[in-house]
Amino acid sequence: AHSTTRALFAAYDGPLYQVMRQSDGKKLTIGVVRPNGADAGGYADAAAQDRFCANTVCWIATIYDQARKGNDLTQAPRGAFSGPAMGGFNNLPIADMAPVSVMGHKVYGVFITPGMGLRQNDAKGTAVDDQAEGQYWVIDGHHYNSGCCFDYGNAEIDSKDDGNGTMETTYFGDATPWYHGNPPGPWVMTDQENNLVGCVNPDGADKLCKSLPNVTWRFVTAMAKGEPHHWTSMGGDAQKGPLQVMFDGPRVNNTYDPMRKQGAILLGNGGDNSVGSQGTFYEGAMTAAGTFPTDATDQNVQANVVAAHYGVAPVRVAPASATATPPGLQTFAPGTAQDVTVTFTNTAGTSATGVRLGLSLPAAWTAAANGAATFASVAPGVSVSASFRVTSGAAAFNGDLVGRAAWNADGHAQSATATEK
C-alpha cells in the first residue's frame, strides 16, 4: 500500500515517503499528521517537506509500504530500456510538482514525467503466475500521454519484457498502438505485457474497444483485478459516486491464459522499464497473492477515497499568464519585473472569511499588489486571485516565490502556502 498523500489504514502512523534535497543530499522522512482536536489528522505532513526543501529542489526517493511488508518503492533500475539517470536508472520524481488537498489540507502527489519511475523488484507476498490479485490507484485524470506506459502494479522482477502475461497492472493514458477506446481518451485499462487491454473483442484490426469510455474527471480511481481465466477493470470519479465496470470477462487469448505474473511492483513506467509515460499518482494498493477482491470491496475502497475529499491545492502561485496545472518554473532576468498570481481555493465545506493573499520573496526582491489582495468571504469551492508585480534582485538567485493565504473558518485562523521555484 503506497501513498504520498495520506495514511491508507486508520491506525497507520509510520512513514509515507522520503525526500532528498539537491543542495546537500540530505534526506527527510515525511510522516502522517496525527489527530489534534478538531483536526482528524491522517494526511501527509507537507509542511515538513516545505521547510526542508525551501530554496532548493527535492526528489521523492522512497515511497514506503504502509502494509509493513517492506515493499517500498525506490528508484527504478535499468531494464530492457535505459533510464536517463546514472547507470541507466530512472530519474526520481520532483517532490513538489503535484500539490493537491486531502481533507482540506495541502499534500503532494507523485508527478511523473518521461524518464521517471519507481520500483520494487524483490517484492514479498504479491501474486505470481496465475494467482488472483487486485489493485487500485488514485491519479490525476488531466495528466497523461500516449507514451508507454503509465502503470502501477504487478510486473517483471528483471525489468525486462518476459512475454505475454508476465505483468498485470492498472494503466492510464491515451496510447493507441494496442487496445484503446474511441479518441481522444484517456482510458482506464490494464497492462498485461505487450498489450494495453481495454476489452477482449475489439472492433476491427485497430483494436478499438467501442464501449470503453473517455475519462474526464480531475481525480480518477482506477482498478484492475485478475484471476484464472478472468479479469476486470473499473474506474470512477475519485471525488464522488461509485466505480463503473470498464470490462469484465475472459482473458484475451491463450498467451495470457494462464497468466505468468512475476510479482514485482512498479509505478510510473512499463514492465520492461519503458520510460515514455507521464502522469500523477496519489495513492494505491495491491492485494496479497491469491485475493480477488469482490465488487463490494471495490466499491468500499471507492467510498473511502471519496471520503478523503481529494481536491485542488488551497493555494497556487504561477505566472499571471499561466492556466495549466501543475504550475511550472518561472524565470526572471536580474532586475526585471513580471506579474505573478496567487490563487486561493476554499477546499473546505464552510465559508472562509477575511481571506488575505500575499507573496514571500528571495532577499532583495520586491512585490506590489496590482489590485485587491483581501476578500471578505469566499464560499466553499470558490477561488479568488490576487496579482502582484514582482521585481527580481540585481543578482541571479534560484530561490522560491512563496504564495501565502490566511483566513478564518469555523472560528479558527488558518493558513496555507504554495511554492514556485
Side-chain angles (χ1 to χ4, degrees):
H2 306 100
S3 177
T4 59
T5 64
R6 66 177 184 133
L8 300 181
F9 301 91
Y12 186 77
D13 61 357
L16 297 181
Y17 62 104
Q18 183 184 74
V19 296
M20 178 175 64
R21 63 187 178 195
Q22 182 186 48
S23 57
D24 57 8
K26 290 186 177 180
K27 296 179 179 180
L28 178 70
T29 296
I30 306 299
V32 177
V33 174
R34 298 189 178 187
N36 182 16
D39 186 345
Y43 52 90
D45 189 358
Q49 175 183 314
D50 289 341
R51 291 190 296 268
F52 184 76
C53 300
N55 295 314
T56 187
V57 173
C58 279
W59 297 283
I60 296 175
T62 302
I63 305 177
Y64 293 101
D65 176 15
Q66 296 182 33
R68 303 185 190 274
K69 302 292 186 182
N71 291 327
D72 305 334
L73 300 177
T74 58
Q75 188 173 18
R78 180 174 184 165
F81 290 84
S82 177
M86 185 177 295
F89 277 63
N90 294 357
N91 288 332
L92 292 171
I94 298 175
D96 63 354
M97 289 295 287
V100 292
S101 65
V102 165
M103 295 172 276
H105 300 273
K106 184 181 75 172
V107 294
Y108 290 105
V110 183
F111 186 86
I112 299 290
T113 63
M116 294 179 179
L118 300 169
R119 197 164 182 132
Q120 175 55 259
N121 278 348
D122 188 23
K124 307 296 191 297
T126 52
V128 296
D129 296 324
D130 208 26
Q131 289 180 311
E133 70 167 350
Q135 56 219 324
Y136 88 95
W137 62 348
V138 179
I139 50 179
D140 183 342
H142 294 170
H143 183 208
Y144 58 90
N145 70 356
S146 60
C148 184
C149 293
F150 186 56
D151 293 339
Y152 171 72
N154 192 316
E156 295 96 331
I157 59 175
D158 59 2
S159 301
K160 298 179 180 179
D161 181 348
D162 292 327
N164 295 358
T166 55
M167 63 181 294
E168 186 172 53
T169 73
T170 56
Y171 163 82
F172 186 73
D174 63 350
T176 57
W178 303 277
Y179 290 58
H180 59 277
N182 284 303
W187 308 287
V188 171
M189 295 191 287
T190 71
D191 189 341
Q192 298 179 16
E193 193 52 274
N194 300 320
N195 218 345
L196 297 179
V197 185
C199 63
V200 166
N201 297 306
D203 183 51
D206 62 352
K207 296 187 175 181
L208 175 64
C209 300
K210 291 192 295 185
S211 62
L212 191 63
N214 285 264
V215 170
T216 59
W217 311 302
R218 169 60 177 82
F219 295 92
V220 176
T221 307
M223 293 190 175
K225 57 185 182 179
E227 61 182 346
H229 318 303
H230 174 227
W231 65 277
T232 302
S233 59
M234 305 174 74
D237 186 338
Q239 294 180 300
K240 63 182 178 181
L243 298 172
Q244 64 184 86
V245 174
M246 302 295 183
F247 178 81
D248 181 60
R251 295 290 184 181
V252 178
N253 56 45
N254 59 10
T255 68
Y256 295 89
D257 192 0
M259 295 286 281
R260 297 180 291 121
K261 298 183 289 254
Q262 296 186 12
I265 305 172
L266 60 72
L267 171 61
N269 51 23
D272 55 6
N273 200 48
S274 51
V275 289
S277 59
Q278 67 183 32
T280 298
F281 169 90
Y282 303 116
E283 66 176 75
M286 300 167 61
T287 65
T291 303
F292 186 83
T294 66
D295 291 345
T297 296
D298 296 336
Q299 298 296 353
N300 285 339
V301 169
Q302 167 68 353
N304 182 273
V305 170
V306 170
H309 298 295
Y310 273 96
V312 298
V315 180
R316 179 176 181 267
V317 57
S321 60
T323 58
T325 56
L329 305 177
Q330 188 163 4
T331 302
F332 288 78
T336 62
Q338 296 182 45
D339 289 335
V340 175
T341 298
V342 178
T343 300
F344 166 75
T345 300
N346 185 358
T347 60
T350 58
S351 292
T353 60
V355 176
R356 305 173 301 283
L357 305 183
L359 268 176
S360 295
L361 306 165
W365 292 42
T366 61
N370 290 326
T374 61
F375 304 87
S377 181
V378 180
V382 173
S383 298
V384 292
S385 298
S387 175
F388 297 87
R389 189 67 171 175
V390 174
T391 302
S392 60
F397 179 72
N398 184 22
D400 294 347
L401 300 181
V402 182
R404 299 185 179 277
W407 68 96
N408 296 297
D410 297 325
H412 299 282
Q414 301 186 35
S415 63
T417 63
T419 300
E420 183 179 62
K421 298 296 180 185

